[in-house]
Amino acid sequence: MTDPLLSTPAQDLTPTHPDAHNADVRHDLAGSDAVEKIRHVVGKADTCFLVTHGGVRPMGVRECDAQGTIWFLSDKHSQKNAQIAANGEVELYFQASEHSGFLHLVGQATVLHDQALIDKLWTPLARVWFHDGKDDPCISVIRVQPRQGQYWDNKHGDAVAGVKMLIGAALGKQFDDGEIGTLRP
C-alpha cells in the first residue's frame, strides 16, 4: 500500500505562472549556485516542515553547511527517526518571509548518533526538548542531503515586492517581481 502522505515524492510543484519559462522569471540553479540559494533561504527561515513516509512535522534547523546539507537535532525515540530509518527519502518545505524565500527540497535523510555532531549543533534552546542538556542520551542528529528542489522568490527583496504589490493592487495591474527555478545541488 502506498503511503498517502508521501506517495509521490518530488512531484512537480512548479508554479503555473504564465511566465514560468520566461528567462526573466525562471532561473534553474545547479551545483554551487543551487547550494548558495539553499543556504540563503534556510538561513532566513530557521524552521521548516519535514515530511517523512508517515508524517509531517515542523523542525528547527540547526545548520545548513557549505555543501547544502541540512542538520537537525531529534529525539532518538521519535516516530520521525523510525520513519527515516525505514525510508530515508524526505521532503523539506521552507518559507523565509511573508513574500519571499519559498523552498521545497527532496533529499536523503540519515539518523546519526555522534556526540561530536551533537556538541557542534547544540544550542541552549534545545534544552526545552532535551532536559539533560547536550549529554542527554535521547539526542540524535538528522542529516538531510538535498538531491533536488524548487524555489519561488522575489528579485528585489521584500520591501520592493511589497511596494509593487500595493501599486499593482491600486492600479489593477500585475507587477511581477517573482523568480522561480529548480535546484540541483
Side-chain angles (χ1 to χ4, degrees):
M1 182 172 145
T2 303
D3 183 344
L5 286 176
L6 195 62
S7 59
T8 56
Q11 58 187 303
D12 182 18
L13 298 175
T14 303
T16 55
H17 189 284
D19 291 330
H21 298 289
N22 180 327
D24 289 335
V25 173
R26 182 164 198 94
H27 301 279
D28 295 333
L29 303 173
S32 62
D33 291 335
V35 169
E36 182 178 327
K37 177 58 93 174
I38 291 168
R39 292 190 69 192
H40 174 75
V41 172
V42 172
K44 285 187 170 188
D46 291 329
T47 60
C48 68
F49 279 102
L50 169 67
V51 183
T52 59
H53 287 266
V56 179
R57 77 276 301 147
M59 295 288 291
V61 176
R62 292 305 313 125
E63 182 179 337
C64 182
D65 68 21
Q67 291 74 43
T69 302
I70 301 166
W71 301 87
F72 304 92
L73 294 177
S74 177
D75 186 318
K76 71 179 185 180
H77 302 294
S78 68
Q79 287 184 335
K80 73 181 151 300
N81 281 32
Q83 292 162 353
I84 289 169
N87 185 335
E89 185 169 12
V90 299
E91 295 184 68
L92 302 173
Y93 291 87
F94 293 89
Q95 181 176 350
S97 71
E98 185 177 356
H99 300 292
S100 66
F102 302 95
L103 179 66
H104 166 249
L105 296 173
V106 175
Q108 189 66 33
T110 307
V111 176
L112 305 168
H113 304 280
D114 180 327
Q115 190 61 47
L117 278 173
I118 293 167
D119 291 344
K120 177 182 175 193
L121 300 172
W122 180 257
T123 176
L125 184 60
R127 190 176 288 278
V128 171
W129 294 277
F130 305 106
H131 303 291
D132 292 334
K134 63 182 176 180
D135 297 319
D136 191 311
C138 294
I139 301 177
S140 65
V141 175
I142 296 175
R143 174 185 66 207
V144 177
Q145 296 174 293
R147 287 192 319 270
Q148 61 183 329
Q150 297 168 325
Y151 74 95
W152 305 264
D153 213 343
N154 61 46
K155 296 176 189 174
H156 302 102
D158 284 347
V160 173
V163 169
K164 284 187 171 188
M165 285 173 53
L166 290 173
I167 292 171
L171 298 177
K173 293 185 177 186
Q174 181 178 2
F175 286 103
D176 188 8
D177 192 43
E179 177 179 84
I180 61 174
T182 59
L183 297 165
R184 300 229 181 251

